[in-house]
Amino acid sequence: MSLNQTLKEVTERIIARSAETRSAYLARMRAAQGKGPARAHLSCSGQAHAYAATGSDQGTLASGSAGHLGIVTAYNDMLSAHQPFETYPTLIRDAVRASGGTAQVAGGVPAMCDGVTQGEAGMELSLFSRDTIALATGVALSHNVFDAAVYLGVCDKIVPGLVIGAQTFGHLPAAFLPAGPMTSGLANDDKAKIRQKYAAGEIGRDELLKAEMAAYHGPGTCTFYGTANTNQMLMEFMGLHLPGSSFVNPGTPLREALTVEGAKRALSLSALGNNYTPVCDVLDEKAYANGIVGLMATGGSTNLLIHLIAMARAGGVILEWQDFADLSDVVPLLARVYPNGLADVNHFHAAGGLGYMIGELLNAGFLHPDTKTIAGTGLEHYTQEPFLTEDGLTFRPGTKTSLNDAILRPAKAPFQQTGGLKRLTGSLGTAVIKVSAVAEEHHVIEAPARVFHDQEEAKAAFKAGEFTGDVIVVVRFQGPKANGMPELHSLTPMLGILQGKGHKVALVTDGRMSGASGKVPAAIHVVPEALDGGPIAKIRDGDVLRLDATTGTLNVLTPGALDREAATADLSAYQHGTGRELFSLFRQAVTSADTGASVFGD
């Protein structure tokens, strides 16, 4: 199948836009490649320090003749998704040692759980944790003794931060080793209904806690299709996971075999061998275009509209929201996974998963087939599935047909002809919306505004019974400069209840929503943000707004509304406590959401 014309044009546009920055980046990576294995240049004292705690590997490392693998880990057991990583370093060392190489934990990076911090002050550090993780990755690899690296991370900001850091050391091969999703517990839709009942005061906290514990019940990624599992999808579409490895459950023999193979594969791609594949060559313009296609075809998290831009810029690739919008207009939606449907990621994987989906998109011309990956050149590798046999791990062709067409559809008969995300523009600025989970009757909302400077204010108004009709809830001063752009997922039950009463309801904010949100139309990531004097700062209660996901517009209809002075807000409460004072420089330096909300500049 020939390449889709829009994909071709968008990729060419990205290549042209990125020519100068990409060329400069690759020149730096080629220069780093030319220096050879860095540890050979260390002083004797430096080498002694580096190898002092490696036990039986000391002699191998001192000889400098074998490959050395660096492990960058986001392990902690606050995150259920990361708890399995506790045992990975030993597994990796043993696997690499059996192949004649060595491995060390280069360093750890922080990893926070957005599920714990939702609605809490800690959420204001969440987005900034991505760039902190990138910085910590740089520190880990700064010892400059490794021939390749593996990255242990799964969740929301962790994978984007690790990718940014990995590209800074882009002359090294990189493999991402996932931990997999927890087994299915209480259905996500049932969990959401319990949350709504609690928000409405129909049940007590004891019943809510019981439901939450039944949903989040063991090691592994949360099973809904939010940011964490969207990250895992991207790592396959962009060639940094082994094929079919994203959604294999923790604690299984197949999961362990994939971890072993991933470590060995990373080291086999080093400059010491004949199959040198640095990450700077894997993550090129085509790979990022493929990632955007995957985001649209799966109805993935809106957070990646920020993260992919920041990730790409670390490798000299310049993405814009219009690239996402243009691809969303032509890429079909092939999956229904909660919140876009009732299935969870385990059901998705069983129905054919990413291998089936990649095959369908390749055959329909919606993916670049010739990208480099850790599995070899060509995305066709990712139509395969891993299996354990008597001879060990093997890869076989995956299913060519969906095993459940309520979850996965072929490209010729998709759930909808366009992707799951849409760009909105108009008199209120530029925003994005996730439409894949929004029923068609809610795609256009015209209603008076209620304006808040804090999500707690909005929830208090709801509890006081102040929402009695159609409403567009505006929560502003939630952008990256104002308070780190927290997710406002705790508003979801409230908004869902209002929608369920038959009211026309929408959210407009310069903040973010969780990757699990979706049934209520939400124009998020509004730029310019309120703190920059954007139009959203001029809205008052009662102004009529119109959110139109069909035409892709976001406007204020009240005459003269934008002639007012921009509102100001007392942001002093966002400056201190729960570590917020440590990130004041981040708030001052961060770029706008449409350029990645990064502290590393434009």
Side-chain angles (χ1 to χ4, degrees):
M1 175 66 71
S2 60
L3 200 65
N4 175 267
Q5 185 61 28
T6 299
L7 175 61
K8 182 179 179 182
E9 291 173 358
V10 168
T11 306
E12 289 174 349
R13 187 168 73 205
I14 294 169
I15 291 171
R17 184 193 304 135
S18 309
E20 183 176 347
T21 51
R22 180 69 177 169
S23 177
Y25 169 75
L26 289 176
R28 295 194 301 272
M29 296 306 107
R30 303 306 179 214
Q33 291 168 11
K35 295 179 181 178
R39 63 186 176 282
H41 306 296
L42 287 176
S43 67
C44 290
S45 175
Q47 290 195 54
H49 277 288
Y51 313 150
T54 60
S56 62
D57 291 329
Q58 278 184 318
T60 305
L61 282 164
S63 73
S65 59
H68 191 39
L69 185 67
I71 305 167
V72 180
T73 178
Y75 162 71
N76 66 52
D77 53 16
M78 173 63 71
L79 279 77
S80 61
H82 288 198
Q83 186 274 339
F85 290 139
E86 182 176 14
T87 61
Y88 275 36
T90 297
L91 195 63
I92 291 167
R93 288 191 199 96
D94 290 345
V96 170
R97 192 178 293 125
S99 299
T102 53
Q104 282 179 293
V105 173
V109 303
M112 64 183 289
C113 180
D114 286 3
V116 174
T117 57
Q118 286 291 346
E120 303 291 334
M123 176 51 70
E124 293 168 28
L125 308 186
S126 176
L127 181 58
F128 291 148
S129 76
R130 181 197 66 198
D131 292 0
T132 304
I133 290 162
L135 292 169
T137 301
V139 172
L141 296 177
S142 66
H143 300 100
N144 218 21
V145 298
F146 302 108
D147 299 295
V150 291
Y151 299 86
L152 312 183
V154 173
C155 287
D156 299 44
K157 315 307 170 298
I158 294 89
V159 167
L162 290 172
V163 169
I164 292 169
Q167 286 179 111
T168 306
F169 288 79
H171 61 289
L172 298 178
F176 279 63
L177 306 183
M182 69 177 69
T183 55
S184 300
L186 178 70
N188 287 295
D189 194 48
D190 291 338
K191 174 193 67 183
K193 291 174 182 176
I194 293 291
R195 287 178 175 177
Q196 286 196 1
K197 286 183 178 181
Y198 177 75
E202 297 174 8
I203 61 172
R205 190 176 180 86
D206 55 340
E207 290 185 63
L208 175 65
L209 181 59
K210 182 179 178 182
E212 297 287 355
M213 295 288 281
Y216 306 115
H217 62 89
T221 316
C222 305
T223 60
F224 58 80
Y225 194 53
T227 309
N229 286 319
T230 302
N231 286 339
Q232 303 313 290
M233 174 276 298
L234 285 170
M235 292 300 94
E236 288 209 33
F237 270 75
M238 298 173 70
L240 290 178
H241 275 180
L242 288 176
S245 65
S246 295
F247 301 130
V248 175
N249 300 123
T252 62
L254 181 57
R255 175 83 279 156
E256 181 173 312
L258 285 164
T259 300
V260 167
E261 177 61 23
K264 291 160 60 177
R265 184 71 57 89
L267 200 53
S268 75
L269 300 176
S270 80
L272 299 176
N274 298 319
N275 195 27
Y276 179 45
T277 309
V279 73
C280 65
D281 289 348
V282 172
L283 296 181
D284 63 4
E285 298 91 337
K286 289 182 178 180
Y288 278 106
N290 284 349
I292 296 173
V293 170
L295 183 65
M296 300 308 165
T298 59
S301 169
T302 52
N303 281 323
L304 272 300
L305 286 158
I306 295 175
H307 297 325
L308 271 169
I309 290 173
M311 291 157 63
R313 289 186 176 223
V317 177
I318 309 299
L319 303 179
E320 296 179 352
W321 276 353
Q322 192 61 48
D323 303 326
F324 294 76
D326 290 348
L327 288 173
S328 185
D329 284 343
V330 299
V331 173
L333 181 69
L334 303 187
R336 287 285 191 202
V337 188
Y338 189 86
N340 307 338
L342 297 180
D344 67 23
V345 294
N346 292 311
H347 305 138
F348 168 79
H349 187 63
L354 295 176
Y356 169 77
M357 176 173 280
I358 289 172
E360 283 293 307
L361 292 169
L362 281 170
N363 291 336
F366 286 114
L367 289 170
H368 293 285
D370 55 345
T371 53
K372 289 186 177 181
T373 79
I374 67 167
T377 299
L379 203 58
E380 186 71 24
H381 289 286
Y382 287 80
T383 65
Q384 297 180 317
E385 293 182 28
F387 290 90
L388 274 181
T389 69
E390 292 180 357
D391 298 323
L393 182 67
T394 186
F395 291 87
R396 304 173 186 166
T399 179
K400 301 296 184 183
T401 59
S402 171
L403 302 180
N404 188 332
D405 63 8
I407 301 172
L408 267 174
R409 293 269 184 89
K412 64 182 179 182
F415 290 103
Q416 63 186 49
Q417 293 294 335
T418 57
L421 303 172
K422 199 169 186 72
R423 180 176 182 242
L424 303 175
T425 59
S427 58
L428 280 177
T430 300
V432 295
I433 183 172
K434 182 174 180 176
V435 294
S436 54
V438 178
E440 191 170 348
E441 62 264 28
H442 300 309
H443 281 198
V444 179
I445 303 293
E446 185 176 311
R450 277 295 309 272
V451 181
F452 304 95
H453 290 179
D454 186 283
Q455 60 183 319
E456 295 305 319
E457 293 177 358
K459 288 188 283 188
F462 170 76
K463 290 178 181 178
E466 296 179 16
F467 296 106
T468 58
D470 298 347
V471 65
I472 293 182
V473 176
V474 177
V475 185
R476 63 192 181 193
F477 294 100
Q478 303 298 307
K481 291 184 180 179
N483 65 346
M485 205 179 186
E487 290 183 352
L488 307 179
H489 184 49
S490 64
L491 294 176
T492 301
M494 173 193 95
L495 296 171
I497 289 170
L498 295 175
Q499 187 184 72
K501 290 181 176 180
H503 302 315
K504 293 182 179 179
V505 182
L507 173 70
V508 174
T509 181
D510 50 8
R512 295 181 295 126
M513 285 292 278
S514 165
S517 304
K519 293 184 180 181
V520 174
I524 60 177
H525 307 176
V526 172
V527 291
E529 66 174 283
L531 191 63
D532 278 341
I536 193 175
K538 300 182 179 183
I539 301 303
R540 295 180 182 172
D541 287 349
D543 287 348
V544 178
L545 309 183
R546 182 179 175 87
L547 185 164
D548 190 331
T550 304
T551 61
T553 54
L554 179 65
N555 291 299
V556 53
L557 304 183
T558 301
L562 299 183
D563 296 331
R564 305 171 184 139
E565 289 292 319
T568 59
D570 180 4
L571 302 178
S572 59
Y574 298 141
Q575 308 304 310
H576 303 282
T578 323
R580 287 178 287 188
E581 52 267 58
L582 299 174
F583 288 82
S584 61
L585 290 176
F586 280 52
R587 290 190 292 272
Q588 295 171 34
V590 68
T591 65
S592 59
D594 58 337
T595 57
S598 173
V599 300
F600 300 132
D602 292 329

